[in-house]
């Protein structure tokens, strides 16, 4: 399995353990069943399936349950075996799975949204069910009574949802590229702040509660690491995909981030390194290296009798430069640029071979990934693709 975007051949790569096939439409979400060789999936074909590994080594459904509407998302709590399923009609349906994963018992339905549920989270510690919908609302319900506790309207359609149990902060990413941070109480919420760094919509969120870091993936092909706990406003950009980032997962024991995208790429980022923020791009009417005017600077062009040049920016120092003064390209992994990017000539000379050492590995899943789930205890990664296939990977060769 050769990587398409890494120039050097990889000596270590994920091992494909199993392909789980049988869904009639896109599998929107799936999870690995802890301590079992099983998978729970929900699909656009309106089915909920629990796949268990049989004696012949293949995964077959032990549960096949048809829902009244396409299944858009899910949340599974292994301790209680509670399965919360978000539907296209705005309903969240809750079930309890039997110990042998051969039966699912209906518990209750929440009329949570006016349209498709985009994300759902069950929080055992608070006995809350959190959800977002295409109706531009975030809501939360009491899982015991089924009562709606509160809600918040976002400016754009929500597409990512994470929750911190210790502080009761909820993170809602939306299609405008913004992440809204709310503080939840029992029956009301308050806006803490909003953060925005993406030029495209937020497509995935991932929260590290130990280091208090939030990761956001976007349709602009990038991942941003937000230092929420450090209170310094640090935002580290990671550039490693050729298409929109679709899903994120985090391995806390090794401090590695797994990002997957529409390009089929699985990128494993080493977050246990001292990364640097990308500089703000500076404004200037002339090249900050050779002082040649840019094409809109008519006065200097007339005074110097020179033709105006196109403006570029060095990705390392942020200075506005002309093409002649930024003819070199270099990767800057500690700034998140695993691919070669434009740098000015002086910065190119200052970058050492050590600074060019990659901090991420690249792998090809050979399908357009829409969702991932990582089982840290076994080092297994589950990927769902637009090809209706679920793949199970042994990630221990690269996540260690």
């Amino acid at each position: 399995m050769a990587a398409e975007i890494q120039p050097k051949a990889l000596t270590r790569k994920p091992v494909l353990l199993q392909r789980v096939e049988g869904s009639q439409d896109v599998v929107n979400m799936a999870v690995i069943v802890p301590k079992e060789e099983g998978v729970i999936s929900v699909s656009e074909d309106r089915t909920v399936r629990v796949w268990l590994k049989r004696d012949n080594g293949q995964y077959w459904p032990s549960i096949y349950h048809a829902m009244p509407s396409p299944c858009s998302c899910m949340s599974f709590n292994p301790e209680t075996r509670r399965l919360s399923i978000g539907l296209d009609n705005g309903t969240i349906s809750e079930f309890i799975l039997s110990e042998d994963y051969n039966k699912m018992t209906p518990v209750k339905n929440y009329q949570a949204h006016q349209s498709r549920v985009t994300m759902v989270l069950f929080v055992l510690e608070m006995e809350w069910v959190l959800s977002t919908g295409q109706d531009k609302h975030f809501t939360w319900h009491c899982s015991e009574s089924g009562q709606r506790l509160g809600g918040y309207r976002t400016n754009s359609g929500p597409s990512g949802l994470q929750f911190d149990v210790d502080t009761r902060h909820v993170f809602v990413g939306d299609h405008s590229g913004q992440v809204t941070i709310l503080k939840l109480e029992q029956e009301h919420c308050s806006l803490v702040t909003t953060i925005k760094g993406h030029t495209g919509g937020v497509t995935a969120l991932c929260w590290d509660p130990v280091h208090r870091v939030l990761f956001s993936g976007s349709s602009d092909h990038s991942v941003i690491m937000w230092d929420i706990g450090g209170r310094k406003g640090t935002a580290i950009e990671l550039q490693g995909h050729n298409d929109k980032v679709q899903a994120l997962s985090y391995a806390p024991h090794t401090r590695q981030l797994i990002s997957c995208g529409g390009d089929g790429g699985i990128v494993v980022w080493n977050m246990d390194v001292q990364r640097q923020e990308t500089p703000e791009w500076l404004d200037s009417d002339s090249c900050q290296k050779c002082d040649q005017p840019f094409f809109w600077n008519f006065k200097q062009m007339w005074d110097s009798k020179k033709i105006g040049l196109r403006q570029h920016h060095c990705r390392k120092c942020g200075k506005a430069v002309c093409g002649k003064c930024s003819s070199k390209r270099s990767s800057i992994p500690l700034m998140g640029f695993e691919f070669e990017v434009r740098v000015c000539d002086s910065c190119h000379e200052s970058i050492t071979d050590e600074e060019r050492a990659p901090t991420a590995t690249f792998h090809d899943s050979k399908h357009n990934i829409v969702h991932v789930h990582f089982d840290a205890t076994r080092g297994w990664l589950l990927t769902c693709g637009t090809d209706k296939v679920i793949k199970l990977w042994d990630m221990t060769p690269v996540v260690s």
Side-chain angles (χ1 to χ4, degrees), residues 182-240:
L182 304 170
K183 172 78 171 181
L184 296 194
E185 302 298 344
Q186 189 59 35
E187 294 184 356
H188 73 277
C189 69
S190 57
L191 175 65
V192 177
T193 189
T194 58
I195 53 178
K196 186 171 182 179
H198 292 290
T199 57
V202 173
T203 51
L205 292 178
C206 185
W207 173 245
D208 173 13
V210 177
H211 299 95
R212 308 199 58 73
V213 168
L214 179 72
F215 300 96
S216 60
S218 171
S219 58
D220 65 9
H221 307 182
S222 74
V223 177
I224 295 180
M225 181 184 80
W226 306 91
D227 184 7
I228 303 296
R231 300 182 183 276
K232 297 177 182 177
T234 306
I236 305 296
E237 196 171 331
L238 306 175
Q239 298 279 358

Side-chain angles (χ1 to χ4, degrees), residues 264-303:
I266 301 175
V267 184
V268 181
W269 304 87
N270 177 15
M271 303 311 299
D272 196 22
V273 293
Q274 193 66 40
R275 293 189 175 273
Q276 305 165 18
E277 276 193 285
T278 51
E280 292 287 336
W281 284 5
L282 302 177
D283 292 325
S284 179
D285 291 330
S286 57
C287 176
Q288 293 180 302
K289 292 293 182 180
C290 68
D291 204 36
Q292 283 270 56
F294 293 132
F295 64 83
W296 61 83
N297 188 353
F298 297 114
K299 185 179 185 305
Q300 189 176 344
M301 287 166 57
W302 177 263
D303 292 343

